[in-house]
Amino acid sequence: DAGVIQSPRHEVTEMGQEVTLRCKPISGHNSLFWYRQTMMRGLELLIYFNNNVPIDDSGMPEDRFSAKMPNASFSTLKIQPSEPRDSAVYFCASSLGGSNEKLFFGSGTQLSVL
Amino acid sequence: GEDVEQSLFLSVREGDSSVINCTYTDSSSTYLYWYKQEPGAGLQLLTYIFSNMDMKQDQRLTVLLNKKDKHLSLRIADTQTGDSAIYFCAVPIQGGKLIFGQGTELSVKP
């Protein structure tokens, strides 16, 4: 298995633009997680899905952030409109079971909002 | 609320042992984890321990768990330059979430 696949690897955009990050979890995994990593705040859980259903989105910072999982093999995290303070590395992770199981992380998307 | 604390930096010489510590305030009764993050990469599961164990050894890695003190540690024997990375402990809490520490940056000097 290729592991968790994220795209793009790097994204540079201007303030106010829409940004869409993509994730393909490991085949057969039932749970998918979006994390954000910054120097100041460390690793923060934004949202997680179980069987394509959002279970906990309490970490989503604002209404500008939205996430979808239309099927078991694909998820998106969208920021609209983007702001400079959204600059971070965004990781997607998946696991076989629930949210406290072994997580497998993608390589991340480095987002820079100018 | 739930909190997981780690020291931010550790520097050792090649061949020495490294000990990375983690304290937490709450944990559900499942596994506790150590993840490794190399520059420009995602987190990779390094090892884990079940909450009813107090020690687990896996080649150069030793995990110690003191449930009474809520203290988890990772010992790396014979530390190599390739072990330089950021190490995160991760603790599951009631409600099913996994809480990560801030990460300890391990620097191994030749």
Side-chain angles (χ1 to χ4, degrees):
Chain A
D1 197 317
V4 175
I5 299 172
Q6 291 186 246
S7 64
R9 195 80 169 82
H10 302 276
E11 176 81 37
V12 181
T13 191
E14 291 187 345
M15 184 173 68
Q17 296 297 306
E18 178 181 294
V19 174
T20 300
L21 311 181
R22 296 173 175 80
C23 176
K24 181 181 185 317
I26 292 173
S27 177
H29 280 192
N30 296 323
S31 295
L32 182 141
F33 309 81
W34 283 101
Y35 283 88
R36 178 172 68 178
Q37 186 179 37
T38 59
M39 289 289 292
M40 290 297 293
R41 301 170 72 98
L43 201 62
E44 301 172 278
L45 176 64
L46 301 178
I47 185 171
Y48 84 88
F49 296 84
N50 188 249
N51 292 322
N52 311 342
V53 175
I55 302 300
D56 184 348
D57 65 354
S58 59
M60 295 285 261
E62 298 169 36
D63 290 347
R64 298 184 296 106
F65 286 68
S66 63
K68 291 183 180 178
M69 191 164 186
N71 58 62
S73 58
F74 183 66
S75 176
T76 58
L77 178 68
K78 188 175 291 187
I79 309 172
Q80 165 64 14
S82 59
E83 296 183 3
R85 61 193 167 118
D86 302 330
S87 298
V89 182
Y90 290 82
F91 288 105
C92 176
S94 69
S95 75
L96 261 177
S99 58
N100 54 11
E101 298 280 329
K102 304 177 189 69
L103 299 184
F104 294 83
F105 282 78
S107 299
T109 295
Q110 172 84 58
L111 173 64
S112 298
V113 183
L114 306 177
Chain B
E2 306 87 10
D3 200 16
V4 179
E5 297 278 340
Q6 296 178 241
S7 53
L8 294 181
F9 299 101
L10 176 64
S11 180
V12 301
R13 291 220 171 270
E14 194 173 19
D16 288 350
S17 291
S18 308
V19 179
I20 301 171
N21 294 302
C22 173
T23 56
Y24 56 94
T25 55
D26 184 25
S27 172
S28 63
S29 298
T30 55
Y31 294 97
L32 294 87
Y33 303 94
W34 283 102
Y35 284 83
K36 177 182 180 182
Q37 185 180 28
E38 294 181 350
L43 279 71
Q44 188 177 22
L45 181 63
L46 191 62
T47 188
Y48 55 93
I49 187 168
F50 193 60
S51 58
N52 69 352
M53 297 170 64
D54 50 24
M55 187 179 93
K56 177 183 176 182
Q57 187 141 7
D58 182 2
Q59 299 183 326
R60 290 189 299 120
L61 305 178
T62 303
V63 180
L64 296 177
L65 174 61
N66 182 329
K67 282 191 75 174
K68 175 173 166 290
D69 294 341
K70 297 186 179 178
H71 183 264
L72 182 70
S73 68
L74 174 70
R75 179 176 179 270
I76 306 173
D78 188 25
T79 313
Q80 304 296 307
T81 53
D83 295 324
S84 293
I86 302 176
Y87 292 81
F88 293 87
C89 65
V91 176
I93 60 170
Q94 297 298 335
K97 276 188 185 178
L98 198 58
I99 304 295
F100 285 82
Q102 314 96 301
T104 299
E105 183 175 346
L106 175 64
S107 173
V108 183
K109 300 191 185 318

